[in-house]
Structure formats: C-alpha cells, structure tokens
Amino acid sequence: FIGRNRNMSKKSIQRTAIRISFLGDAGCGKTSIINRFIEDKFTDVHLTTIGLEKNEKKMKMKDGTQMKVILWDTAGQERFKTMTKTPIKASQGIVIVFDLTKKVTFENLDNWVKTIKENNNNAPIALFGNKSDMIEEIEINNEDAEKYAKEKDMFYFETSAKENVNVKEGLDKIIEESYEKAEGEIGTQLKKGKNNKKKRQMLKQEEIKKK
C-alpha cells in the first residue's frame, strides 16, 4: 500500500497493484491467455511454465484509477504445486483455467479450488474453459461448466486464446471485481481504525472526568 500517513484521506490511500494468479493443469492455455491479454498475440508453441512467471500491464479502473495489474502464471504440474501457495496468498483475484477438450482438467478443478481455499478464502475467482475454438474436440458442455462455477461462487467464461474469445472480457471482469473488493476492504479497515480512535478518545475523556 502507499499513503500510510494517518492524516491522508481514504481516496489517497490506494493499492499499488492488483495481483491475479492463474491456476490450472499444465497445457490448459494459461500462458496463451496471458499473452493474448498482455500483447494481443498467440503462438501454438509454448515452453512449459516452470515455477512462476510474472507479467504486468497498466490498466484504468472504472473509477478512473490507473493500476498496475500483475498476472502470475503458475506451473500446472504436481511437483510445482507448493510454489503456487505464495502467489495465491498475495493475490486479490484468482483465475482457474481448464481445457474444454480434456475432461480430466475439468475433473481436477476441485483440487485447485481446495488449494485456493486453503491459502486465500477471500479473493474473487473466475473459471475459464479454454480452447472453445476446437469445437469438434470439446468434452465439457457449457451447462456443466456454468453449474460448477455457480456452485463454487465463480464467474465463468468460455475462452479461446487462439481466436481471442472472451479473454479481455473475462480478465476485465475478474480484475475489476478484485480491485473493488480490495478497495472496499481498505475502506472498512480505515473506518474500523477511526471508530477505535473515537472509542479511545471517549475513554480518555471519561478517565479525566473521574479524576
């Protein structure tokens, strides 16, 4: 956070960045989605993400605030799973990606949701069913994915990084939701601090009167 001076107004106390973690099995297209959003590019050839990769983009929020958005691209392999805990804890929003053409990646969603809840039970979550352009190979229908997302209180988008379908729409939504929730929490903390200060002042005045 910036602006820690006690005399500064709520409006001047703003988050320096919004952090979004991307989770999901390897090969679901997390890197492709991020590249499409950041650079508006797509390539069929990607090196497998090892560990964590940090991506940044400056955006203007609906309220006009300029923000730096950090997108954490995480490895989907089981052996790297412990490394995802740190970015999850530090994130204001989460995106889980599964592959519409591979049923197993949908079946594994419960494991990713569990990991999130264990490390950050407060961040908004978006679910992306990626590779919607591969119509002949799709194994998960839209109804099942939407039902799952609703049960888990997540936003759902069918995306295609290749054809640039719903990538911007989905990320704009989760980023804005994450920003609004984070700023709301800041406001609550400030209000609580002011209330506590008033209580301390009242107690002090009561003590003075007793003397």
Side-chain angles (χ1 to χ4, degrees):
F1 294 99
I2 59 175
R4 295 181 181 274
N5 190 312
R6 292 182 179 179
N7 296 321
M8 297 183 76
S9 67
K10 176 183 174 181
K11 288 184 179 179
S12 67
I13 300 180
Q14 298 175 338
R15 188 174 290 277
T16 58
I18 293 294
R19 296 168 179 80
I20 308 292
S21 285
F22 275 70
L23 308 175
D25 291 2
C28 289
K30 298 187 293 294
T31 302
S32 294
I33 289 171
I34 291 172
N35 287 344
R36 173 61 78 179
F37 185 68
I38 299 290
E39 301 178 1
D40 195 20
K41 293 180 180 178
F42 177 83
T43 176
D44 287 313
V45 180
H46 283 294
L47 295 175
T48 301
T49 301
I50 298 176
L52 301 171
E53 290 186 6
K54 182 180 180 182
N55 304 268
E56 297 182 5
K57 182 175 183 175
K58 289 186 178 180
M59 291 180 62
K60 181 183 284 188
M61 301 296 105
K62 288 181 181 179
D63 65 4
T65 303
Q66 291 284 349
M67 294 294 298
K68 178 170 69 174
V69 178
I70 297 173
L71 305 178
W72 284 108
D73 188 2
T74 68
Q77 296 94 329
E78 185 65 30
R79 67 181 185 274
F80 294 121
K81 210 163 185 179
T82 55
M83 297 180 66
T84 66
K85 293 180 180 181
T86 298
I88 291 173
K89 289 177 180 178
S91 290
Q92 286 73 53
I94 309 287
V95 175
I96 310 176
V97 183
F98 73 95
D99 186 339
L100 288 165
T101 70
K102 295 181 180 178
K103 190 175 181 179
V104 65
T105 65
F106 182 75
E107 293 171 340
N108 286 339
L109 289 177
D110 279 349
N111 294 328
W112 291 110
V113 172
K114 181 182 178 183
T115 299
I116 294 169
K117 297 303 180 185
E118 288 174 347
N119 295 280
N120 187 338
N121 200 29
N122 200 36
I125 305 172
L127 179 64
F128 286 8
N130 196 38
K131 305 185 183 181
S132 63
D133 56 284
M134 301 173 67
I135 299 174
E136 299 297 325
E137 300 177 45
I138 289 177
E139 297 181 353
I140 305 299
N141 62 55
N142 188 63
E143 291 75 16
D144 288 342
E146 285 187 342
K147 181 181 178 182
Y148 182 87
K150 187 175 181 179
E151 289 174 350
K152 302 296 183 180
D153 194 26
M154 299 186 288
F155 305 104
Y156 178 63
F157 293 88
E158 274 198 359
T159 62
S160 169
K162 184 176 183 179
E163 299 296 332
N164 197 15
V165 176
N166 279 336
V167 172
K168 184 179 185 304
E169 292 80 356
L171 281 170
D172 280 351
K173 176 66 175 177
I174 190 62
I175 290 168
E176 191 66 41
E177 289 289 332
S178 302
Y179 170 74
E180 289 180 0
K181 186 166 186 178
E183 293 304 295
E185 289 171 353
I186 291 172
T188 300
Q189 291 167 5
L190 288 172
K191 186 176 180 181
K192 186 182 291 186
K194 288 180 180 178
N195 289 338
N196 289 338
K197 185 177 180 181
K198 287 181 179 179
K199 287 179 181 178
R200 289 194 298 270
Q201 290 174 340
M202 289 174 66
L203 289 171
K204 189 174 182 180
Q205 288 175 356
E206 288 177 3
E207 288 177 1
I208 292 172
K209 288 179 180 178
K210 288 178 181 179
K211 292 179 179 178

